[in-house]
Amino acid sequence: MPTNSDESLMLNFQRGSREAFDELFARYREPLHGFFRRRLHTVERADDLTQETFLAMIRATSRYEPRSLVRTYLYGIALKLLAVERRQQARTAPFEPPPSTPALDTALWVQQAIEKLETTEREILMLREYEQLSYSEIADLLRTPLNTVRSKLFRSRMALKGFLDPASELKAGKEA
């Protein structure tokens, strides 16, 4: 039995199908949770914003039009919720880092390198590498030309490489 596309499920949900919503929830709950978890400091807030993403989808279901992929639509909602969350975090107390272990130190080192990237380049890199969105999905989601996505992704990967391996930048500079 062939599986329903996300878009047909969304249209069925729009017509009142609870089963269609359940299937979309099952498909996207974990990917969206991962999206928030990689960008936020607590699992609880990732849980909350994952739920808020689906609530926003439910509230806006009557306005949904299949102009883009459901995946892009959901990540668009998630990005807006994340922006609100970041604004609220900026007004509250600073983050306290978790206790140190070698695995956490490495993850923190990579996270700190990613945080050094320019905001748009960081988001494009994370959407591509962590969320596995295609270049065209990222362009659609961020309302950015496809070639801009490609060039910013290239620049962010090169910058990240330099942050993670400063010796490679020194070698490249000596060869020039």
Side-chain angles (χ1 to χ4, degrees):
M1 182 171 126
T3 59
N4 287 329
S5 73
D6 293 344
E7 291 67 35
S8 66
L9 286 170
M10 187 65 175
L11 291 172
N12 287 338
F13 173 57
Q14 205 173 30
R15 292 189 284 271
S17 170
R18 170 64 191 229
E19 294 79 19
F21 173 80
D22 290 344
E23 179 63 28
L24 287 168
F25 183 79
R27 289 180 186 184
Y28 286 100
R29 180 175 44 96
E30 287 303 316
L32 286 168
H33 187 268
F35 169 87
F36 288 117
R37 186 65 192 108
R38 284 183 283 279
R39 290 161 175 82
L40 299 172
H41 300 295
T42 67
V43 174
E44 293 79 17
R45 286 308 295 150
D47 292 342
D48 292 345
L49 291 178
T50 301
Q51 294 297 323
E52 287 182 36
T53 301
F54 285 103
L55 288 172
M57 181 186 87
I58 290 168
R59 284 187 214 109
T61 194
S62 64
R63 295 187 308 270
Y64 172 77
E65 294 179 19
R67 285 181 269 155
S68 63
L69 298 175
V70 169
R71 177 164 90 158
T72 307
Y73 176 70
L74 287 171
Y75 280 111
I77 294 170
L79 277 172
K80 288 176 185 168
L81 290 172
L82 182 64
V84 170
E85 180 72 12
R86 285 183 171 154
R87 282 192 297 273
Q88 289 173 346
Q89 282 180 350
R91 291 189 295 255
T92 61
F95 168 70
E96 291 184 30
S100 183
T101 67
L104 281 176
D105 289 347
T106 300
L108 185 59
W109 183 52
V110 172
Q111 183 180 5
Q112 287 172 341
I114 289 172
E115 290 295 323
K116 290 179 184 177
L117 296 172
E118 184 265 322
T119 304
T120 305
E121 291 176 357
R122 177 178 54 242
E123 199 55 57
I124 288 172
L125 178 75
M126 293 182 78
L127 289 169
R128 178 69 183 143
E129 300 301 331
Y130 290 111
E131 311 332 319
Q132 299 293 301
L133 269 61
S134 70
Y135 293 142
S136 61
E137 288 173 316
I138 295 168
D140 187 33
L141 180 62
L142 299 179
R143 294 183 174 98
T144 304
L146 185 60
N147 285 336
T148 302
V149 169
R150 287 185 175 128
S151 64
K152 285 185 182 261
L153 184 59
F154 177 78
R155 280 197 305 265
S156 65
R157 285 175 173 158
M158 297 313 306
L160 188 60
K161 181 180 178 184
F163 295 145
L164 294 173
D165 184 13
S168 68
E169 268 191 7
L170 291 175
K171 288 179 198 172
K174 287 180 183 177
E175 291 173 7

